[in-house]
Amino acid sequence: RLVGSEMCIRDRTEALRKMPPEFRQTFRMHRLEGMTHKEIAVRLNVSPQTVNYRIGQTVRLLREELSDYWPLLVLLLWPDLS
């Protein structure tokens, strides 16, 4: 049986799999590899605005997909509030 953080990771992975490949790639380059929008744009041969759009859409979709975890995330990130 999965517990909170394991379920969140599993659901995040599933949510990312639903994204178009170019959205996943852009998000991964920015969030995991720490690349700037401009660096990603040069590497992918797209405009920085396209990079910004892809990242924004991915974050929006993840927020929607993972909305059930918001109370857990608040407790984990801001324990002094509880």
Side-chain angles (χ1 to χ4, degrees), residues 5-67:
S5 62
E6 292 170 335
M7 288 173 58
C8 185
I9 291 168
R10 183 204 61 202
D11 289 351
R12 183 204 60 184
T13 301
E14 288 301 314
L16 284 171
R17 284 188 183 137
K18 295 177 184 177
M19 312 279 168
E22 62 273 10
F23 282 40
R24 285 194 312 265
Q25 179 185 31
T26 303
F27 184 78
R28 184 173 35 256
M29 292 169 83
H30 181 61
R31 298 295 172 131
L32 301 179
E33 297 175 26
M35 296 175 70
T36 66
H37 290 204
K38 187 174 181 179
E39 292 169 331
I40 296 167
V42 169
R43 173 122 8 122
L44 299 179
N45 196 30
V46 297
S47 74
Q49 291 83 6
T50 297
V51 171
N52 188 52
Y53 174 78
R54 289 176 182 177
I55 293 170
Q57 289 300 303
T58 302
V59 169
R60 182 184 64 77
L61 292 168
L62 285 173
R63 188 181 316 124
E64 289 172 6
E65 290 284 328
L66 301 176
S67 64

Side-chain angles (χ1 to χ4, degrees), residues 1-12 66 68-73 75-76:
R1 185 174 156 209
L2 297 177
V3 294
S5 62
E6 292 170 335
M7 288 173 58
C8 185
I9 291 168
R10 183 204 61 202
D11 289 351
R12 183 204 60 184
L66 301 176
D68 292 344
Y69 298 104
W70 181 246
L72 175 63
L73 293 172
L75 291 174
L76 292 174

